[in-house]
Amino acid sequence: MKLNVLHLFPDLLDQYFDSGNIQCLKKRLEWRNIECEVSCIRRGDPLIDLSDTDIILMGGGADKEQLYVCRHLLGYKNELNEYIESGGSLLAVCGGYQLLGKYYKLHDETINGLDILDIYTEQGDGRLIGNVVLECDFLDEDHNKVVGFENHGGRTYIGDHTPFGKVLYGHGNADNSQYDGVIYKNLIGTYLHGPLLPKNPALCDFILTNALKRKYNKDIELDPIDDELESTANTYITKRFLTR
Ligand code: GLN
């Protein structure tokens, strides 16, 4: 078996090393003897046909970089939309997540989004920065606490979409929204930056399982991996922030 992973604009959207998520996807496949090929689209590169793509990652970045990426991706809108509607996996972090909506309204200009999700983002006063603990219902009970870090000026309003997780600590979508991100088909949008998947291996395996299921058209159970260190770190952080 083999999965093809596409990293969109690692040169522009990689705040807090979001590309660590690619390494995690790749490594957890290799440990199970499943091949993984990673390709990237960088500034100036032509966009590629998505028919062989199984997982896409879009990281976060500064407003200026987002503006460039979004202009570039507007021509890709239909292709990305079809990919999502046909169950393609996409992990979009912070700035990447904002771009999937209708628009991102800054104080002095508005960035038109890709309009893949019926959500919108507006720049608020001050930034929402800090550690986050979420509860994600779609993960099994022993692994449903997802930990991470957020830093964003935009506040995202998700309307009727299903949130990615309930905020137990931190901010998430907006100041008091109580929820973070969106989950729609196999698309996950979240404000949780940096090494989200290494910190939350159950989430990584959830993405891999869905991508394999779509590609091979059957249920696939991944071989277990010893995640004791990751689990200990996750439990430590969860306790630290939730028992104050
Ligand atoms: N520029 C966006 C904001 O501040 C996204 C930031 C990010 O990706 N960390 O809201």
Side-chain angles (χ1 to χ4, degrees):
M1 289 193 291
K2 177 178 176 185
L3 287 181
N4 296 316
V5 177
L6 173 63
H7 193 174
L8 288 179
F9 300 102
D11 50 339
L12 296 169
L13 298 181
D14 192 23
Q15 225 166 29
Y16 307 116
F17 199 57
D18 293 319
S19 22
N21 293 315
I22 296 274
Q23 291 180 11
C24 186
L25 290 163
K26 191 167 178 348
K27 208 66 213 168
R28 291 183 77 81
L29 286 170
E30 284 172 1
W31 281 333
R32 286 147 165 151
N33 295 317
I34 301 173
E35 257 187 90
C36 177
E37 192 173 321
V38 178
S39 43
C40 299
I41 294 181
R42 298 188 171 81
R43 181 195 281 258
D45 286 349
L47 300 171
I48 62 162
D49 164 33
L50 293 178
S51 50
D52 276 337
T53 299
D54 304 306
I55 301 177
I56 299 179
L57 175 82
M58 255 171 104
D63 300 338
K64 206 172 88 199
E65 272 81 31
Q66 275 178 268
L67 188 60
Y68 172 85
V69 167
C70 206
R71 279 197 191 131
H72 203 67
L73 284 182
L74 279 177
Y76 218 19
K77 194 168 144 170
N78 293 342
E79 185 128 16
L80 274 172
N81 212 9
E82 267 168 39
Y83 171 81
I84 297 302
E85 290 303 323
S86 69
S89 297
L90 167 65
L91 175 63
V93 174
C94 199
Y97 162 47
Q98 295 170 343
L99 294 186
L100 300 178
K102 290 194 174 304
Y103 59 84
Y104 173 26
K105 188 171 182 304
L106 297 158
H107 292 316
D108 49 2
E109 67 182 314
T110 298
I111 302 176
N112 286 320
L114 295 169
D115 203 6
I116 288 171
L117 297 173
D118 192 7
I119 65 173
Y120 64 93
T121 302
E122 290 180 350
Q123 188 173 18
D125 294 327
R127 301 187 67 79
L128 305 178
I129 305 174
N131 294 295
V132 184
V133 180
L134 303 178
E135 188 168 86
C136 292
D137 286 346
F138 57 88
L139 296 174
D140 76 66
E141 218 180 313
D142 293 341
H143 301 101
N144 67 358
K145 303 290 183 297
V146 169
V147 299
F149 178 80
E150 65 183 331
N151 180 359
H152 50 108
R155 274 65 168 173
T156 299
Y157 302 94
I158 68 167
D160 292 336
H161 273 294
T162 305
F164 167 59
K166 182 171 168 38
V167 174
L168 304 181
Y169 186 86
H171 300 283
N173 282 330
D175 303 68
N176 297 309
S177 67
Q178 295 175 29
Y179 290 96
D180 175 72
V182 160
I183 182 161
Y184 172 69
K185 297 196 173 197
N186 287 329
L187 176 164
I188 291 174
T190 175
Y191 271 113
L192 270 51
H193 250 302
L196 170 66
L197 300 182
K199 285 182 186 170
N200 301 285
L203 177 62
C204 186
D205 286 355
F206 174 79
I207 294 171
L208 294 174
T209 306
N210 289 335
L212 287 165
K213 189 172 169 183
R214 171 179 181 250
K215 181 160 190 176
Y216 294 100
N217 203 18
K218 59 176 183 184
D219 283 330
I220 286 168
E221 201 159 325
L222 290 171
D223 293 338
I225 289 174
D226 179 3
D227 289 324
E228 202 191 324
L229 274 179
E230 290 83 349
S231 297
T232 307
N234 185 301
T235 306
Y236 173 82
I237 287 295
T238 303
K239 280 204 181 126
R240 182 170 145 197
F241 293 117
L242 298 188
T243 52
R244 283 182 164 191

